[in-house]
């Protein structure tokens, strides 16, 4: 094994030496130093040059898994949500903020989770009984149906069945998973 390793290192040394000799025969020292200087100066100026960073947020979102952030409207569970996120209003992803109560009726959506590749049935419940929250407002109406199909329409104040009908925010709860077996 050591002989193979020595043979491999010897080949690499020989290749590097022959490459260096060929470069030395074709390029003068002044030209080489000039090109190295330009490379150093150019390399040091690259960070100050302006460049388009518009795709950076998109790339960061993909690399950081922004689809996994329940505080962003792009979160996979919000595929049919229309309202303020309760996460941003003192509640959580699945619970209403203190002083409000979940609506007695809700609408549903089927959302695809990119992390496990499965589809989930998500129930969207409005939280009622407090003034409207000024938090993050999301409108993602994938596969929304007209108002006469109440269960899949999200433009209604779903606090209508509660005693206090003031809308505050919306939670998104998983209620089922699509069975791939049929």
């Amino acid at each position: 094994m050591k002989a193979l390793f020595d043979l491999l290192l010897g080949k690499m040394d020989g290749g590097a030496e022959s490459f260096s000799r060929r470069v030395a025969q074709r390029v003068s020292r002044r030209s080489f130093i000039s090109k190295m200087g330009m490379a150093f100066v150019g390399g040091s100026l690259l960070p100050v040059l302006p460049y388009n960073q518009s795709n950076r947020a998109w790339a960061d979102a993909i690399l950081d898994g922004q689809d996994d952030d329940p505080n962003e409207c792009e979160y996979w569970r919000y595929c049919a949500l229309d309202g303020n996120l309760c996460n941003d209003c003192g509640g959580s992803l699945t619970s209403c903020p203190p002083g409000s109560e979940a609506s007695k009726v809700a609408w549903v959506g089927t959302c695809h989770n990119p992390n496990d590749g499965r589809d989930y049935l998500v129930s969207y419940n409005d939280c009622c009984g407090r003034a409207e929250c000024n938090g993050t407002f999301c409108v993602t109406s994938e596969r929304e149906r007209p108002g006469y199909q109440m269960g899949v329409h999200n433009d209604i104040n779903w606090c209508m069945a509660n005693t206090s009908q003031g809308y505050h925010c919306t939670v998104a709860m998983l209620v089922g998973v699509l069975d791939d077996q049929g």
Side-chain angles (χ1 to χ4, degrees), residues 14-95:
E17 180 184 345
S18 67
F19 176 75
S20 297
R21 289 187 185 273
R22 274 187 276 145
V23 169
Q25 290 171 354
R26 293 185 184 145
V27 179
S28 70
R29 277 184 247 158
R30 286 186 182 170
S31 173
F32 178 76
I33 291 172
S34 167
K35 288 180 181 175
M36 287 295 290
M38 287 191 317
F40 284 127
V41 171
S44 66
L45 291 178
L46 276 178
V48 296
L49 293 175
Y51 63 96
N52 185 359
Q53 294 189 8
S54 61
N55 290 332
R56 185 174 183 169
W58 178 76
D60 287 346
I62 290 174
L63 294 175
D64 294 342
Q66 191 175 38
D67 286 345
D68 294 337
D69 186 2
N71 296 317
E72 300 290 332
C73 292
E74 292 78 21
Y75 184 56
W76 68 269
R77 195 185 283 198
Y78 302 149
C79 72
L81 189 139
D82 184 355
N84 296 310
L85 300 180
C86 282
N87 306 5
D88 206 16
C89 301
S92 70
L93 185 66
T94 57
S95 65

Side-chain angles (χ1 to χ4, degrees), residues 85-135:
L85 300 180
C86 282
N87 306 5
D88 206 16
C89 301
S92 70
L93 185 66
T94 57
S95 65
C96 292
S100 64
E101 62 177 349
S103 59
K104 295 178 180 170
V105 290
W107 75 98
V108 294
T110 304
C111 302
H112 181 75
N113 184 348
N115 298 321
D116 64 5
R118 302 183 77 178
D119 294 325
Y120 291 87
L121 183 64
V122 181
S123 173
Y124 300 99
N125 289 73
D126 287 342
C127 294
C128 313
R130 290 180 59 184
E132 184 170 349
C133 171
N134 289 325

